[in-house]
Amino acid sequence: MEQINKKAFHDYEVLEKYEVGIVLEGAEVKSIHKGKVNLKGSFCKFFKDELFAIDIHISKFEHENSWSKHDEKRPKKLLLKRKELTKLQSKVQEQGLTLIPLKVYFNDRRKCKIQLGLCKGKKLYDKR
């Protein structure tokens, strides 16, 4: 199942795209398979040289145990190589760009991936 962040394409101009892995817990993978993920309003932020996706909403899987703790909006760690991470971090800091999750999907090896966009915000008159 593929989920696309349509609002990001309306609000931002995408300059570059990257495919990154994501660290998931418990039944989050099953929820993504069912299409219970929302990327609207999500963004990425650096914490101590690691990249995290903030405000990605993954709903609780309906058959998940009732005692399991499932935080639907917890920050999710993104997996990139060190060289790509430092390159992205320098672009975000120097040029004032933003990293936005554009798409969540499963690749051909059944791994959950996120397509990140290095984006520049549009002006109000560009959003027509």
Side-chain angles (χ1 to χ4, degrees):
M1 190 70 178
E2 181 178 281
Q3 293 291 84
I4 298 173
N5 188 356
K6 294 178 184 176
K7 184 78 171 160
F9 291 103
H10 177 69
D11 291 340
Y12 298 96
E13 175 187 347
V14 180
L15 304 175
E16 295 179 33
K17 294 180 181 178
Y18 298 93
E19 181 183 71
V20 299
I22 183 171
V23 177
L24 298 171
E25 293 179 357
E28 289 178 335
V29 178
K30 292 179 182 181
S31 291
I32 292 173
H33 264 294
K34 293 261 187 186
K36 306 268 182 164
V37 61
N38 187 2
L39 296 174
K40 193 174 185 181
S42 61
F43 60 97
C44 296
K45 197 169 188 178
F46 287 95
F47 293 111
K48 298 181 183 177
D49 295 330
E50 292 181 335
L51 187 62
F52 287 89
I54 312 294
D55 284 344
I56 292 179
H57 184 275
I58 299 175
S59 297
K60 185 174 178 175
F61 186 60
E62 60 226 24
H63 301 295
E64 191 174 2
N65 296 331
S66 60
W67 64 83
S68 66
K69 296 177 184 173
H70 179 80
D71 184 13
E72 295 176 337
K73 284 205 167 197
R74 73 172 178 84
K76 287 131 184 92
K77 185 176 178 182
L78 300 178
L79 305 171
L80 278 118
K81 293 187 178 181
R82 176 65 49 195
K83 188 177 178 181
E84 287 179 326
L85 229 128
T86 54
K87 181 178 133 183
L88 282 176
Q89 192 169 15
S90 67
K91 284 187 178 184
V92 167
Q93 288 175 349
E94 292 171 7
Q95 299 175 6
L97 301 175
T98 309
L99 285 169
I100 304 290
L102 302 175
K103 188 190 312 184
V104 175
Y105 59 94
F106 288 91
N107 67 357
D108 54 348
R109 296 187 323 189
R110 307 287 294 157
K111 302 285 183 187
C112 185
K113 299 289 182 179
I114 288 187
Q115 185 180 51
L116 280 184
L118 189 63
C119 301
K120 181 179 178 181
K122 288 182 180 178
K123 303 286 184 197
L124 186 62
Y125 53 82
D126 291 335
K127 296 181 186 182
R128 289 188 226 146

